[in-house]
Amino acid sequence: SLLYSSQTVGFIWPLVALHQVGCILCLWAHATCMLTDAGYVPLGSAVSEGVPRCEKCSSPKPARAHHCRVCSRCVLSMHHHCHFVGNCIGLRNRKFYIQFCSYVVIHSAFSVFSVLGNMALCRQSFVECAQRKGCDQSQTCMYNLVYLAMVVFGLLLALASCWKTMQNIDMMHESITDNLSPIDRLQGRMSEPQSLLDGLTEIM
């Protein structure tokens, strides 16, 4: 094939296999985070002495529980409602959210380097074609507009995904070390800071 050299083809398949493994891990973590109970406070539960009742859903509202306007439920240790996973991020599924964000960043970075490496190999096949008599360079991948369009789209998508997810990871990192959710911080609550390792150990 003139699209790639014979040496290039053998290099591509391991990358394809790793890409599929990354996709499976991302999808698994996404599904687990989406389907796991975030830590919803049961509706109609009896209120213990000293525990306030939520004015919106009438359920008990323990310390650090917050009412989610989207789910119309109170969630234990609620961090935020993530529209991308379609679920609140709370006490029982935050570890899956951290796993999901980590897998997305790793897979996105891997995709960027894979695409760049693929472009380098494509360029190599173009040069090799120029050195062979009777080889039509217009048949190489450097002249394939569909390939080039997919490369540009893939790079932009991977970079945007990596950048956005890194922002979410930074937000989770701040919440873990400060021992405060963004909602707690907005409400002016105070807490004893902790190390990232101690926080991750508690969550995981």
Side-chain angles (χ1 to χ4, degrees), residues 167-186:
Q167 289 180 323
N168 293 336
I169 290 178
D170 182 64
M171 184 172 61
M172 289 296 296
H173 174 272
E174 186 178 11
S175 295
I176 292 173
T177 53
D178 290 348
N179 202 17
L180 288 170
S181 71
I183 302 175
D184 291 330
R185 196 175 294 109
L186 286 174

Side-chain angles (χ1 to χ4, degrees), residues 123-194:
R123 172 65 180 174
Q124 178 184 347
S125 69
F126 178 79
V127 174
E128 290 178 357
C129 179
Q131 297 172 349
R132 296 201 306 266
K133 292 183 179 180
C135 184
D136 186 2
Q137 288 180 303
S138 65
Q139 297 300 311
T140 63
C141 52
M142 293 297 291
Y143 283 86
N144 191 316
L145 295 180
V146 175
Y147 167 79
L148 294 177
M150 291 178 63
V151 165
V152 173
F153 176 77
L155 278 175
L156 292 177
L157 182 63
L159 288 172
S161 176
C162 188
W163 173 254
K164 178 60 179 176
T165 310
M166 283 294 292
Q167 289 180 323
N168 293 336
I169 290 178
D170 182 64
M171 184 172 61
M172 289 296 296
H173 174 272
E174 186 178 11
S175 295
I176 292 173
T177 53
D178 290 348
N179 202 17
L180 288 170
S181 71
I183 302 175
D184 291 330
R185 196 175 294 109
L186 286 174
Q187 293 178 346
R189 297 188 179 183
M190 303 295 292
S191 182
E192 186 70 24
Q194 60 182 351

Side-chain angles (χ1 to χ4, degrees), residues 61-127:
K61 196 172 184 179
R64 297 204 173 187
H66 302 287
H67 184 86
C68 175
R69 293 178 296 176
V70 180
C71 300
S72 299
R73 298 281 299 275
C74 281
V75 182
L76 297 172
S77 297
M78 178 181 172
H79 188 270
H80 70 286
H81 184 92
C82 181
H83 293 280
F84 189 74
V85 300
N87 197 4
C88 281
I89 307 303
L91 180 66
R92 299 194 182 114
N93 69 344
R94 55 188 177 178
K95 69 176 182 179
F96 302 120
Y97 181 74
I98 294 175
Q99 289 175 348
F100 171 67
C101 290
S102 301
Y103 290 148
V104 169
V105 168
I106 294 173
H107 184 250
S108 298
F110 171 76
S111 299
V112 169
F113 287 112
S114 297
V115 170
L116 293 177
N118 188 272
M119 290 178 64
L121 293 174
C122 176
R123 172 65 180 174
Q124 178 184 347
S125 69
F126 178 79
V127 174

